[in-house]
Amino acid sequence: MSNQDDLLQGKNVKRWLISILTPTAILTGIAILFTWVFLYRLGRQDIFLQVVSFKDIFSFIAFSSVLSIFLFCLVFFTPSIISALILQGSPRNHSDYQKIKSNYVRILLWGSFLAVILFFAFCYFYPANKKPGSAWPVGLFFLANSVICILLNLWFNRHIAQKRSRYLSGWDWWEFVLTIHFFKPTMIGVASWLFVFPMGLLIKTLKFPDGTGNLKEALLLFGLTYFIVIITLVPLLVFIGLKSHIFKRLAIFSCAALMALALVSSLLPVIPAMIINLSMKLSGVMDLTVYRYAVPADKYPAEMFSGKNWSLTESKDTKFHIVEGVNLFSMGTVSLICPKTLPAVLTESMSYRLGDKDFDENLRDKLQQATRRCNIIDKETLLKWQE
């Protein structure tokens, strides 16, 4: 009955997709996507907003938003994705498959916790001001963690190995040993290291209050890292507990990943800010490249661009104000042009302190004060170039 329900659900989803993915919608989407990819390679996403319709812009922003969420989920939950593929690819006809799978999960958890220790050991012996001349320490720690997972596998699955070795011989025995006791534990060791990617995004913007001791900073980083490790494994723990059809398991896996991302976003507001900024950059709505803009002097008084950050000059015919700035927001016929110093303020606003809402509010106030110096300009009257 369960399989019939899963098949019926899959057919309903298929009908819904067919109803919205009409040939016209598909061809329009492909044309918009190819146009954006071409202009993105040229570094001229600003032209994209001028050649597509207002309706298409919103559609592409929606696509960019979904793509940004997908990319962040991919970065955060790669350990779960790889581990799920490893477990899904295990021999289901094996009589001890469930026990092996359970032991693999235990190995992944232990390997992830040990990988955190190795990660901080690497940071301690090779701090930022003493970077090694080669990448061999990174490879060494990857190898060390894989060896640890292999040893853990030999311990947890030792009884299964003894049981199987009694009636396996020749190539069957070697295949069992290499697959179950070497290849898969090695891949689990690699998966347990992939928490460094989300941690890399979060650590570079993490700030500590002045006067915080090294021990307290280390403890906070340990706590944050272990929290991220647990979050990255939530979809996997949900996935392995299901015994339904693969379509339903993948759907629940995706929902678990989105819920886990929403949970960590509620605790670390910098994550939704990163997702939104990435979406705006991908769609071309925000362009933080510094350009020289020519603004009609008869429509926009020079007082709108007072301050040294604008680098205000006049054109030779005095018909235009020449300023340097960035395009913070552009849609339709409106462009929000800001001083060239705004990207630094925007980058600073992405910083955060653990559990310090006042710090976040202060940075947001600084960003809002900086954007008050921005000016709304009609794109049809705006000229720009880059020296």
Side-chain angles (χ1 to χ4, degrees):
M1 190 68 179
S2 177
N3 291 334
Q4 292 179 353
D5 293 339
D6 292 335
L7 291 175
L8 181 60
Q9 183 180 7
K11 290 180 180 178
N12 292 334
V13 173
K14 184 178 180 180
R15 293 194 193 99
W16 177 75
L17 289 175
I18 292 175
S19 66
I20 62 174
L21 295 178
T22 61
T24 303
I26 293 175
L27 292 176
T28 302
I30 293 175
I32 293 174
L33 179 62
F34 274 51
T35 302
W36 175 83
V37 171
F38 176 73
L39 294 174
Y40 181 81
R41 291 185 68 249
L42 299 179
R44 295 304 304 267
Q45 299 96 307
D46 54 308
I47 302 178
F48 177 79
L49 300 179
Q50 301 177 22
V51 298
V52 298
S53 66
F54 196 71
K55 179 181 177 181
D56 291 335
I57 291 175
F58 276 103
S59 300
F60 195 76
I61 291 175
F63 171 77
S64 300
S65 302
V66 173
L67 179 60
S68 300
I69 295 174
F70 171 77
L71 292 176
F72 266 79
C73 285
L74 187 64
V75 170
F76 267 81
F77 303 114
T78 299
S80 284
I81 296 172
I82 293 180
S83 301
L85 292 175
I86 295 172
L87 298 180
Q88 185 68 22
S90 297
R92 290 186 174 276
N93 58 348
H94 197 299
S95 58
D96 297 307
Y97 166 71
Q98 292 298 331
K99 188 174 182 180
I100 290 177
K101 183 171 72 170
S102 176
N103 287 336
Y104 279 160
V105 175
R106 295 167 64 186
I107 293 168
L108 178 63
L109 292 174
W110 277 103
S112 298
F113 291 144
L114 293 175
V116 173
I117 297 176
L118 291 176
F119 173 74
F120 279 95
F122 172 78
C123 294
Y124 176 80
F125 288 107
Y126 293 96
N129 58 348
K130 295 182 180 180
K131 293 181 179 180
S134 63
W136 69 264
V138 179
L140 179 63
F141 282 121
F142 265 97
L143 179 62
N145 204 62
S146 296
V147 170
I148 289 174
C149 289
I150 292 174
L151 295 177
L152 289 173
N153 177 74
L154 292 175
W155 172 257
F156 287 125
N157 290 322
R158 64 188 185 282
H159 298 300
I160 298 176
Q162 294 173 0
K163 177 181 176 181
R164 295 284 291 179
S165 62
R166 295 173 184 173
Y167 55 89
L168 288 178
S169 60
W171 171 246
D172 292 335
W173 184 87
W174 279 107
E175 183 181 11
F176 171 77
V177 171
L178 292 176
T179 302
I180 303 299
H181 294 293
F182 179 76
F183 175 73
K184 291 183 181 297
T186 300
M187 294 302 298
I188 290 175
V190 173
S192 64
W193 253 105
L194 297 179
F195 72 92
V196 298
F197 293 108
M199 280 304 301
L201 291 175
L202 298 176
I203 286 181
K204 68 179 182 180
T205 57
L206 177 62
K207 304 295 182 182
F208 294 101
D210 296 336
T212 305
N214 292 335
L215 178 60
K216 186 176 180 179
E217 289 184 4
L219 292 176
L220 289 173
L221 283 175
F222 259 100
L224 177 62
T225 305
Y226 278 121
F227 172 72
I228 295 301
V229 168
I230 294 173
I231 289 295
T232 60
L233 298 179
V234 165
L236 173 68
L237 298 178
V238 174
F239 180 82
I240 62 175
L242 301 173
K243 297 182 180 180
S244 56
H245 191 268
I246 184 62
F247 177 82
K248 186 174 182 180
R249 297 174 70 189
L250 290 176
I252 296 177
F253 180 93
S254 302
C255 292
L258 291 174
M259 292 178 65
L261 184 63
L263 173 62
V264 71
S265 298
S266 65
L267 300 175
L268 301 174
V270 66
I271 293 178
M274 289 180 177
I275 294 175
I276 293 172
N277 285 353
L278 177 61
S279 175
M280 293 297 103
K281 288 181 180 179
L282 289 175
S283 62
V285 172
M286 179 173 65
D287 185 4
L288 299 181
T289 305
V290 177
Y291 289 96
R292 291 180 67 84
Y293 292 92
V295 182
D298 58 341
K299 293 185 178 181
Y300 303 96
E303 287 76 11
M304 293 179 62
F305 306 98
S306 60
K308 62 180 181 180
N309 293 332
W310 284 105
S311 301
L312 176 64
T313 57
E314 299 294 329
S315 61
K316 292 182 179 180
D317 58 4
T318 67
K319 293 183 179 181
F320 293 92
H321 303 308
I322 310 298
V323 298
E324 291 184 356
V326 297
N327 196 340
L328 184 61
F329 181 84
S330 179
M331 185 175 292
T333 61
V334 173
S335 288
L336 185 64
I337 306 301
C338 300
K340 60 184 179 181
T341 55
L342 187 123
V345 180
L346 183 62
T347 301
E348 184 184 3
S349 69
M350 305 299 292
S351 303
Y352 69 100
R353 290 178 182 173
L354 295 175
D356 192 344
K357 293 184 179 181
D358 293 336
F359 181 78
D360 297 335
E361 292 178 358
N362 290 334
L363 291 180
R364 186 164 56 249
D365 290 340
K366 289 182 180 179
L367 177 62
Q368 293 175 356
Q369 290 176 6
T371 56
R372 291 191 183 100
R373 294 192 292 269
C374 302
N375 295 313
I376 301 175
I377 307 295
D378 186 353
K379 284 201 301 186
E380 296 180 357
T381 63
L382 188 65
L383 302 176
K384 73 172 186 178
W385 67 92
Q386 192 175 24
E387 294 183 347

